Amino acid sequence: MNFDLENIIKKCQANDRLAQNQLYEHYKGILYSISLRYMGDKMSAEDAFVEAFFKIFDKINDYQGAGSFEGWMKKITVNECLMSLRKKNNLRLAVELADWQVSESPVALEILNMEDLAHAIEELPPGYRTIFNMYEIDGFKHREIADELGISINTSKSQLILAKKRLREIIKKKQTIKLFNSKS
Amino acid sequence: MSNQNYKEIDHRGIQPDAKLWLRIEDKLDGVKTERKLVRYQRIALAASILAIVFSSAYLYTFYNHYRSEAFAFNDKSHPVIIEQMSGDVSPLYDLVNLRTIKYAYEGIN
């Protein structure tokens, strides 16, 4: 299918349902994956995904063509997920380890395939998962995370460290299980 | 692992349930209907305001016409009407009395 994004955006701005469906079909995979990554479970991810797409169509006239359209849609999806997590009061980020230094050693994350890594991220508690997603995958800076979540920069940094620590544990567990299964 | 590598995580080809598009469509339709309703409500409100303004203007003209005519004609000969229209009464009271004044005026004529 020929995908002329500029033309489709124009049609979507005129509320053309066919164009809206084309846009949806083209980006549903990536935006659903983002929702799943942030929300951690299928049902919440679906709710956030529907809300995000609805907002995209509703606010498409606000898109002025500055920056990538995909980036704009991703931002809306991430914001929708954060809002949803906030509503569910799932962003508990109480532990602040201000003196922790960010000294990362390359961990087992690299030897995992994307599917396993995605599942491991989904198993993180919501607070850790959110910060890991925002910093490591979506490229937010600690200052931006702090502003977005209403926390201090140090909290953001320490939560990221704890998130990675937990992720390593999850991955280690998964690898042990895999190893055990392959031997038996 | 860099951000760029992590980004591959969103390109795993996961597809959402087909029913989700129907949910989005429902929401879009719902908002369309809601916006139409709001538009109709605004039109109805504007029409009501116009109706109130025009009917008030009409009533005011009507009221003034009979009031001044009655005053001019019944200066001394019809004290009841004058009494009804003078004194410390509210315009609303005057308006209520308008029919009496009108009939009196028409009767005299």
Side-chain angles (χ1 to χ4, degrees), chain B residues 15 17 32-34 36 52 60 69 89 93-95 107:
Chain B
Q15 294 300 319
D17 195 312
K32 223 177 184 179
T33 315
E34 201 177 302
K36 261 187 195 164
I52 289 168
Y60 185 72
E69 289 279 344
V89 289
Y93 181 80
D94 254 7
L95 204 61

Side-chain angles (χ1 to χ4, degrees), chain A residues 144-174:
Chain A
E144 291 169 327
I145 296 172
D147 287 346
E148 198 72 49
L149 303 182
I151 55 173
S152 71
I153 293 175
N154 279 334
T155 304
S156 173
K157 284 179 182 173
S158 58
Q159 292 286 308
L160 179 68
I161 293 166
L162 293 172
K164 285 183 176 179
K165 194 177 166 211
R166 181 71 69 85
L167 198 58
R168 271 180 220 126
E169 287 166 10
I170 294 169
I171 289 165
K172 209 172 174 182
K173 208 164 89 183
K174 276 180 182 289

Side-chain angles (χ1 to χ4, degrees), chain A residues 28 37 47 51 58 136, chain B residues 3 10 15 23 27 35:
Chain A
K28 64 180 181 182
R37 196 153 55 71
D47 289 344
E51 282 300 322
D58 197 41
E136 290 291 345
Chain B
N3 283 345
D10 292 330
Q15 294 300 319
R23 276 176 65 185
K27 277 182 86 76
R35 280 181 187 158

Side-chain angles (χ1 to χ4, degrees), chain A residues 78-93:
Chain A
V78 170
N79 282 342
E80 198 50 52
C81 291
L82 294 178
M83 207 186 291
S84 183
L85 286 167
R86 246 183 249 123
K87 266 189 211 159
K88 289 179 181 173
N89 203 19
N90 267 345
L91 289 175
R92 281 173 298 230
L93 303 160

